[in-house]
Amino acid sequence: ALREAAKILGQLTPERREVFIMTERLDMTAAEIGAALGVSPNTISSRLGAARRDVNEIVARHHRRPT
């Protein structure tokens, strides 16, 4: 499972991956991440939404593959 998670995260853009990890693993808020990265919380929220969509799409594609 860990290897699959790393594979999925590796398919995200660096900006989206960074925000996704900071939110999901470090439990940081958009304001905290924005302050740490020097960007607005709105930008963080946008990147996080895009990252979550990407992850969902990657997982769905994986499940559609014939085995």
Side-chain angles (χ1 to χ4, degrees):
L2 208 49
R3 194 169 283 161
E4 282 186 39
K7 221 177 204 182
I8 290 168
L9 291 176
Q11 294 181 58
L12 300 177
T13 65
E15 294 85 4
R16 291 177 183 179
R17 180 173 46 251
E18 182 175 49
V19 169
F20 188 84
I21 291 170
M22 292 174 90
T23 300
E24 300 298 330
R25 297 294 299 148
L26 303 179
D27 202 29
M28 295 174 73
T29 66
E32 292 168 333
I33 298 168
L37 300 180
V39 297
S40 79
N42 288 339
T43 298
I44 298 303
S45 294
S46 177
R47 289 179 186 176
L48 180 59
R52 286 180 172 156
R53 282 189 300 277
D54 290 350
V55 167
N56 287 335
E57 183 179 309
I58 292 164
V59 169
R61 244 190 340 240
H62 175 74
H63 287 295
R64 283 195 302 261
R65 279 193 319 204
T67 53

